[in-house]
């Protein structure tokens, strides 16, 4: 099936990948050049893992996971395969986020710096907790074949919305973190005097924001949504027979589904009943 506006999609996709990759590279340059490198010794070198891992995992990899269902080259792949890729990317992002959290808490504890006092830390921790709940929900309800269709139909819009909300929250938290760090470390010259590190890191923030904007635009275009599969029938372990289950993990697959598979099954059943009634009526007139 051909994608409507394919050239526009391809241009935005390449732009998003380029901007996201530049965001990761800029974060590495900031850590290695301006912040003296990386380490795991309780010093600022260990803290530097925090922005590097979060931008790489929580921003870039999560963004790719969000739009993976939109790639038209994958539309011929099975939905189970795409769910597994989507879940795998989000799992990698979650692991990197945990390591990043350990790094910053270890750095604070080693330097007797209070934890969890800033708005950045509050929102960041909330985003991590919600992300893991989202990942667990997606795994149990949409990846494993045990949840009934009615539950999937109810939870899918919530899953999609909460995924985008978490991603937007992560972008905002990253921008707050960059600004907060610059205020702490740029004393002489001060942040307000436009030092090279300040300008460079502000540019990194703009790249992160632009990447988020491109991901949001791609994932909210209905014409770029993965088409539904042509009615594969299978039997759930709980005994429910389904047709064309579209219970993806898609945080991320875009807007609300046009019509749930449960509604499709009801429509097919109604047509069968109408056909039976029509056939009986024709026989009664013969």
């Amino acid at each position: 099936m051909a994608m409507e506006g394919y050239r526009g999609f391809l241009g935005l996709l390449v732009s998003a990948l380029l901007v996201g990759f530049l965001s990761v590279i800029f974060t590495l340059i900031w850590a290695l050049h301006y912040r003296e490198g990386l380490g795991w010794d309780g010093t600022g070198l260990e803290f530097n893992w925090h922005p590097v891992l979060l931008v790489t995992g929580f921003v870039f990899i999560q963004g790719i996971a969000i739009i993976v269902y939109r790639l038209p080259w994958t539309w011929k792949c099975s939905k189970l395969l795409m769910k597994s890729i989507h879940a795998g990317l989000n799992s990698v992002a979650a692991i990197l986020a945990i390591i990043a959290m350990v790094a910053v808490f270890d750095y604070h504890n080693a330097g007797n710096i209070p934890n969890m006092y800033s708005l950045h830390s509050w929102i960041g921790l909330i985003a991590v907790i919600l992300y893991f709940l989202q990942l667990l929900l997606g795994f149990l309800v949409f990846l494993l074949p045990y949840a009934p269709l009615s539950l999937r139909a109810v939870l899918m819009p919530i899953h999609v919305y909460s995924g985008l909300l978490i991603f937007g929250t992560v972008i905002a938290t990253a921008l707050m973190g960059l600004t907060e760090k610059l205020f702490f470390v740029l004393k002489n010259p001060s942040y307000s005097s436009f030092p090279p590190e300040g300008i460079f890191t502000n540019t990194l923030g703009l790249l992160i924001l632009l990447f988020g904007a491109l991901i949001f635009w791609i994932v909210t275009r209905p014409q770029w949504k993965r088409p539904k599969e042509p009615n594969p029938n299978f039997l759930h372990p709980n005994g429910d027979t389904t047709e064309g289950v579209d219970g993806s993990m898609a945080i991320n697959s875009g807007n609300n589904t046009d019509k749930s598979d449960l509604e499709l099954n009801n429509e097919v059943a109604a047509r069968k009943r109408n056909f039976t009634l029509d056939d009986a009526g024709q026989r009664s007139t013969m």
Side-chain angles (χ1 to χ4, degrees), residues 17 20 26 59 84 104 136 161 208 234 255 284:
L17 293 175
F26 268 53
V59 176
S84 300
V104 72
L136 180 63
Y161 171 78
I208 293 174
F234 60 90
N255 299 334
S284 66

Side-chain angles (χ1 to χ4, degrees), residues 70-225:
R70 298 289 171 129
L71 304 179
W73 316 286
T74 67
W75 288 356
K76 293 183 179 180
C77 299
S78 70
K79 198 62 174 288
L80 178 60
L81 174 61
M82 297 313 300
K83 289 180 186 180
S84 300
I85 293 174
H86 177 73
L89 289 172
N90 279 297
S91 297
V92 171
I95 292 171
L96 294 181
I98 287 296
I99 299 174
M101 296 290 289
V102 171
V104 72
F105 277 106
D106 194 33
Y107 165 71
H108 280 190
N109 294 335
N112 294 319
I113 301 173
N115 290 306
M116 302 302 300
Y117 64 87
S118 67
L119 181 62
H120 165 71
S121 61
W122 289 12
I123 297 179
L125 184 60
I126 290 172
V128 170
I129 293 172
L130 291 178
Y131 189 78
F132 274 86
L133 291 175
Q134 173 86 342
L135 189 61
L136 180 63
L137 174 70
F139 181 78
L140 295 178
V141 176
F142 299 111
L143 186 60
L144 296 180
Y146 299 104
L149 283 178
S150 56
L151 179 62
R152 293 187 178 193
V154 170
L155 293 182
M156 175 57 72
I158 300 174
H159 186 66
V160 171
Y161 171 78
S162 60
L164 293 177
L165 176 63
I166 292 170
F167 182 65
T169 302
V170 167
I171 296 293
T173 305
L175 298 181
M176 285 191 293
L178 292 177
T179 303
E180 183 179 285
K181 183 63 176 178
L182 290 178
F183 275 119
F184 287 155
V185 300
L186 294 182
K187 302 297 184 181
N188 187 23
S190 67
Y191 187 18
S192 60
S193 64
F194 295 95
E197 182 178 355
I199 296 174
F200 182 86
T201 311
N202 285 349
T203 304
L204 167 60
L206 291 176
L207 289 173
I208 293 174
L209 181 63
L210 179 58
F211 176 73
L214 290 170
I215 295 298
F216 267 92
W217 184 261
I218 291 173
V219 82
T220 54
R221 299 306 95 192
Q223 68 270 27
W224 296 339
K225 185 179 178 181

